[in-house]
Amino acid sequence: ILNVEQSPQSLHVQEGDSTNFTCGFPSSNFYALHWYRWETAKSPEALFVMTLNGDEKKKGRISATLNTKEGYSYLYIKGSQPEDSATYLCAFQAGGGADGLTFGKGTHLIIQP
Amino acid sequence: DTAVSQTPKYLVTQMGNDKSIKCEQNLGHDTMYWYKQDSKKFLKIMFSYNNKELIINETVPNRFSPKSPDKAHLNLHINSLELGDSAVYFCASSYRGQGKNIQYFGAGTRLSVL
């Protein structure tokens, strides 16, 4: 059974502050690590897919890092805005790429004005 | 145009019935998936289907079966529905290739079994 752990489970951040949260995943049989943003009543929206140890990806104020040897990834949000409020999911993909994703339970982020 | 579309959006049915949820993608992807969002809002993989290769999550009851008439469609059939099948079901699709395999999700189908 694959285990993907995200922490914290929820997070309240003041508007303008920067924040980060973590994702732990198995370090064996690694194929890819995904980050998704999920707003209530919508479908999960892909942020990043990372495949190589040491990968860093950036999209606007959001960035992510990957350490496959120790099995963790960080997601960073710089200068949080109210529209960043959402659940952030990380997902581990094993095998040859046709395997589905094993999701963590998510970090529920609330940005307070 | 919606990239991954699921129908119906809502499905209310009685225990014991057989039902289907349809999924279509117009992205040209070669792999499609079904996920179940359980009561704790946790997304769990049920199936992935790539070029006639079906990978099944072993925890999925055999009352659930995916059917793929072509690369753009992966429908979910559920026989003898049970109360515990009530959940939101998400379809997704992607390319199979490292670095290209971002999954695009449909809007979900909320199934209520009475």
Side-chain angles (χ1 to χ4, degrees), chain A residues 6 21 33-49 59-62 64 75 77 83-91 101 103 107, chain B residues 3-4 6 27 29 35 43 90-93 101-108:
Chain A
Q6 288 189 248
F21 24 93
L33 193 282
H34 299 236
W35 279 100
Y36 286 82
R37 183 172 179 278
W38 197 5
E39 289 183 70
T40 305
K42 294 187 178 179
S43 49
E45 177 194 345
L47 290 172
F48 307 111
V49 177
K59 192 176 186 177
R61 295 178 291 99
I62 304 177
L75 189 82
I77 302 178
E83 59 265 28
D84 296 330
S85 296
T87 296
Y88 290 83
L89 299 172
C90 86
L101 303 178
F103 281 90
T107 292
Chain B
V4 181
Q6 296 178 229
L27 297 166
H29 288 160
Y35 291 88
L43 271 178
F90 286 92
C91 175
S93 72
N101 52 348
I102 290 175
Q103 293 192 14
Y104 293 82
F105 283 77

Side-chain angles (χ1 to χ4, degrees), chain B residues 19 22 31 33 46 57 59 72 82 85 89 101-102 106 111:
Chain B
K19 289 292 178 186
K22 293 186 177 180
T31 308
Y33 311 84
M46 298 176 73
N57 183 326
T59 66
E82 299 178 359
D85 297 333
Y89 292 85
N101 52 348
I102 290 175
L111 171 64

Side-chain angles (χ1 to χ4, degrees), chain A residues 19-81:
Chain A
T19 188
N20 65 83
F21 24 93
T22 65
C23 172
F25 54 88
S27 51
S28 60
N29 197 22
F30 176 85
Y31 188 81
L33 193 282
H34 299 236
W35 279 100
Y36 286 82
R37 183 172 179 278
W38 197 5
E39 289 183 70
T40 305
K42 294 187 178 179
S43 49
E45 177 194 345
L47 290 172
F48 307 111
V49 177
M50 295 185 288
T51 56
L52 297 175
N53 184 44
D55 257 356
E56 288 189 29
K57 295 229 171 167
K58 190 174 178 186
K59 192 176 186 177
R61 295 178 291 99
I62 304 177
S63 60
T65 60
L66 179 67
N67 183 323
T68 59
K69 292 185 178 176
E70 295 179 43
Y72 65 83
S73 175
Y74 290 112
L75 189 82
Y76 300 90
I77 302 178
K78 192 175 174 184
S80 304
Q81 299 297 310

